[in-house]
């Protein structure tokens, strides 16, 4: 089982930046991919970015060119650098780890972008 703890959310003005962190613990050796999802009020949870154990990266079209996912293997941590934030980016951001086909989730961190 994998435990995930997110941090770094907050309130920022449009055009600003935030950096989210997700620290993993537990059965991290079996993690195949780590992802960031987000869920805005009234919306379904959507994939924002994924990074696999092999280093492949995928972004949602809505964040391409603005968000960057990266990882620090030594610290078992994944980051999401978010630049040029827009009010539409307002959501709870969740970290997820896929291990042996089973996803684990963090508790989420709120990101609010004011116009």
């Amino acid at each position: 089982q994998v435990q995930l703890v997110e941090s770094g959310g907050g309130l920022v003005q449009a055009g600003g930046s935030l950096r989210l962190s997700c620290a993993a613990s537990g059965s991290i050796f079996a993690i195949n991919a780590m992802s960031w999802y987000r869920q805005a009020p009234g919306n379904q949870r959507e994939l924002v970015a994924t990074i696999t154990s092999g280093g492949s990266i995928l972004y949602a079209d809505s964040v391409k060119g603005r968000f960057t996912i990266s990882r620090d293997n030594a610290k078992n941590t994944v980051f999401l650098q978010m630049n040029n934030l827009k009010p539409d980016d307002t959501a709870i951001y969740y970290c997820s780890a896929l291990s042996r086909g089973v996803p684990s989730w963090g508790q989420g961190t709120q990101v609010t972008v004011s116009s």
Side-chain angles (χ1 to χ4, degrees):
Q1 193 171 2
V2 177
Q3 293 79 44
L4 303 169
V5 178
E6 302 105 331
S7 60
L11 173 64
V12 65
Q13 289 188 332
S17 298
L18 284 174
R19 189 192 195 204
L20 306 183
S21 300
C22 173
S25 60
S27 301
I28 58 174
F29 60 91
I31 294 176
N32 303 116
M34 293 191 70
S35 303
W36 287 97
Y37 286 77
R38 66 185 181 187
Q39 187 168 17
N43 290 355
Q44 290 186 333
R45 192 171 296 189
E46 62 176 359
L47 177 66
V48 176
T50 295
I51 184 166
T52 70
S53 57
S56 297
I57 291 175
L58 174 70
Y59 294 104
D61 288 343
S62 58
V63 306
K64 282 180 181 177
R66 301 188 298 121
F67 290 12
T68 302
I69 189 170
S70 62
R71 65 187 182 192
D72 183 335
N73 291 331
K75 296 182 179 180
N76 301 319
T77 300
V78 172
F79 305 97
L80 186 68
Q81 178 66 44
M82 306 185 293
N83 298 329
N84 190 21
L85 283 160
K86 304 175 181 180
D88 284 350
D89 295 318
T90 295
I92 299 175
Y93 283 70
Y94 296 91
C95 179
S96 177
L98 188 64
S99 175
R100 297 190 177 113
V102 179
S104 298
W105 297 93
Q107 80 286 357
T109 185
Q110 177 71 47
V111 171
T112 303
V113 184
S114 63
S115 56

